C-alpha cells in the first residue's frame, strides 16, 4: 500500500511481448497485450492469468496470420472475460475493431470484428478501449480514418457480440477516442484527443447518451500537445482523466491528472 515492491515477474518467450491492460479477479489478475513468440501470426492477442503472487496460471493467444493486438481486458458480472483489440487478420478492412468474449478460463465464446467506417473509410480502424455498462452492454472506442481524416468512434455491442450502433464524434482534422467509462445515470464518458489542422492536440472529453448522441463535450489544452488516455468516475459523479501534456509542467511531456465536472 506504500508503493514498495512485493514481487516482480516477467512473462513471454524469445521474441517481443507487450502488456497493455490488467484487471483484478477474485483470485488473481488478468493481463492482456500481444505476443510475437507464439500464436498463429506475426503478432497475436495475448491473454494470461496470474495468481496474487504473480505465478502464471494459464495463457491464451487469439488471432490470425497478421498483426492482432490486445488493448483492454475486463471481467463482466458473470465472470466472463471481454478483450478489446485491433485486428489485421479478420474483418472488412486493413484493420478493424476486434472484441473477444471468453469464459473465466480463457476459452473463446465469440469474437467479432467491427468496421465502423464501413465503405466510407480507407480501411483502417483501431480499437483502443472498452467498458461494460451496468446493464451488460459493451462500449468499444477507438479511431478510424475517413476521407483523410481521423474520427473518434464509439460502438455499442450487446452481450452476444451484435453491434447495436456505431457513432463518430469530432469535427476537427484528427479526433481520437482512447478510453471510455460508464456514466452514473446511463450512457458513457469518452476521452481522447482532438486536433485542428496544423495545430497541436487538445484533450477531448465527451458524455454520450445510451443512443450515442453527444450530450456535452469539452476540450482542454494550450498551444502544445495534450492527450487523455484514461478515465474513471468518482463517487461524487465527476470524471477523472489522465494522460500527458506539453502545455504545462516541468518538462517536455508531463503526466496530467484532472478532475472535471461534466454535466
Amino acid at each position: 500500500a506504500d508503493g514498495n515492491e512485493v514481487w516482480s515477474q516477467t512473462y513471454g518467450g524469445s521474441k517481443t511481448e507487450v502488456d497493455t491492460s490488467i484487471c483484478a479477479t477474485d483470485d488473481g489478475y488478468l493481463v492482456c497485450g500481444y505476443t510475437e513468440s507464439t500464436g498463429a501470426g506475426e503478432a497475436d492477442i495475448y491473454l494470461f492469468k496470474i495468481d496474487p503472487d504473480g505465478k502464471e496460471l494459464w495463457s491464451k493467444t487469439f488471432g490470425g496470420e497478421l498483426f492482432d493486438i490486445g488493448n483492454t481486458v475486463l471481467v463482466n458480472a458473470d465472470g466472463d472475460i471481454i478483450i478489446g483489440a485491433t485486428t489485421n487478420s479478420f474483418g472488412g478492412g486493413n484493420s478493424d475493431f476486434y472484441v473477444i468474449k471468453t469464459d473465466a478460463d480463457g476459452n473463446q465464446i465469440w469474437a467479432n470484428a467491427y468496421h465502423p467506417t464501413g465503405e466510407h473509410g480507407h480501411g483502417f480502424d483501431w480499437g483502443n478501449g472498452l467498458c461494460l455498462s451496468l446493464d451488460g452492454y459493451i462500449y468499444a472506442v477507438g479511431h478510424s480514418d475517413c476521407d483523410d481524416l481521423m474520427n473518434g468512434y464509439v460502438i455499442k455491442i450487446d452481450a452476444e457480440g451484435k453491434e447495436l450502433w456505431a457513432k463518430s464524434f469530432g469535427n476537427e482534422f484528427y479526433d481520437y477516442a482512447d478510453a471510455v467509462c460508464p456514466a452514473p445515470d446511463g450512457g458513457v464518458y469518452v476521452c481522447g484527443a482532438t486536433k485542428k489542422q496544423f495545430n497541436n492536440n487538445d484533450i477531448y472529453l465527451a458524455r454520450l447518451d445510451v443512443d450515442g448522441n453527444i450530450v456535452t463535450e469539452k476540450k482542454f489544452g494550450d498551444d502544445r500537445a495534450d492527450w487523455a488516455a484514461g478515465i474513471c468516475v468518482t463517487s461524487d459523479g465527476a470524471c477523472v482523466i489522465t494522460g500527458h501534456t506539453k502545455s504545462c509542467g516541468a518538462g517536455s511531456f508531463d503526466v496530467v491528472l484532472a478532475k472535471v465536472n461534466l454535466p
Side-chain angles (χ1 to χ4, degrees):
D2 297 320
N4 300 307
E5 183 177 307
V6 178
W7 55 258
S8 65
Q9 302 282 354
T10 60
Y11 309 90
S14 60
K15 296 183 180 179
T16 299
E17 278 77 37
V18 175
D19 61 330
T20 56
S21 181
I22 187 170
C23 74
T25 66
D26 291 338
D27 56 352
Y29 302 92
L30 292 165
V31 185
C32 181
Y34 69 87
T35 177
E36 294 180 356
S37 299
T38 186
E42 297 177 62
D44 283 286
I45 297 157
Y46 190 37
L47 175 70
F48 60 95
K49 186 173 182 178
I50 58 177
D51 70 13
D53 296 318
K55 178 184 177 182
E56 184 176 315
L57 301 176
W58 51 256
S59 65
K60 302 281 185 176
T61 60
F62 308 89
E65 295 180 355
L66 302 176
F67 284 91
D68 304 287
I69 308 297
N71 295 315
T72 309
V73 62
L74 300 170
V75 178
N76 68 14
D78 298 324
D80 296 325
I81 301 166
I82 312 295
I83 302 168
T86 300
T87 180
N88 285 273
S89 298
F90 309 111
N94 290 310
S95 65
D96 288 287
F97 286 45
Y98 196 46
V99 178
I100 303 167
K101 182 177 182 179
T102 79
D103 64 18
D105 297 317
N107 301 306
Q108 182 175 304
I109 298 172
W110 54 255
N112 285 325
Y114 305 90
H115 190 51
T117 51
E119 297 178 356
H120 303 292
H122 296 169
F124 292 94
D125 303 283
W126 291 268
N128 295 330
L130 280 184
C131 77
L132 300 171
S133 67
L134 298 178
D135 50 358
Y137 291 103
I138 302 166
Y139 288 87
V141 298
H143 57 275
S144 303
D145 70 344
C146 184
D147 299 326
D148 296 324
L149 302 176
M150 286 289 184
N151 288 335
Y153 268 89
V154 182
I155 303 174
K156 187 175 183 179
I157 303 164
D158 69 15
E160 305 305 319
K162 178 184 177 182
E163 179 183 317
L164 302 178
W165 49 253
K167 299 289 182 76
S168 67
F169 62 84
N171 298 301
E172 306 293 1
F173 186 60
Y174 283 160
D175 298 284
Y176 301 86
D178 269 8
V180 58
C181 71
D185 55 352
V188 290
Y189 292 113
V190 179
C191 73
T194 185
K195 176 183 178 180
K196 292 183 178 180
Q197 195 169 11
F198 309 121
N199 288 10
N200 279 308
N201 304 319
D202 287 320
I203 289 170
Y204 180 81
L205 175 64
R207 179 180 167 192
L208 281 63
D209 65 21
V210 294
D211 296 315
N213 302 307
I214 294 175
V215 177
T216 185
E217 58 185 346
K218 286 184 179 292
K219 300 173 186 177
F220 308 90
D222 207 332
D223 58 350
R224 304 185 76 184
D226 306 284
W227 198 295
I231 188 169
C232 67
V233 176
T234 62
S235 58
D236 59 359
C239 290
V240 173
I241 54 175
T242 187
H244 62 258
T245 179
K246 258 190 169 182
S247 294
C248 59
S252 174
F253 278 108
D254 286 286
V255 174
V256 61
L257 179 69
K259 183 175 181 180
V260 184
N261 289 311
L262 193 67

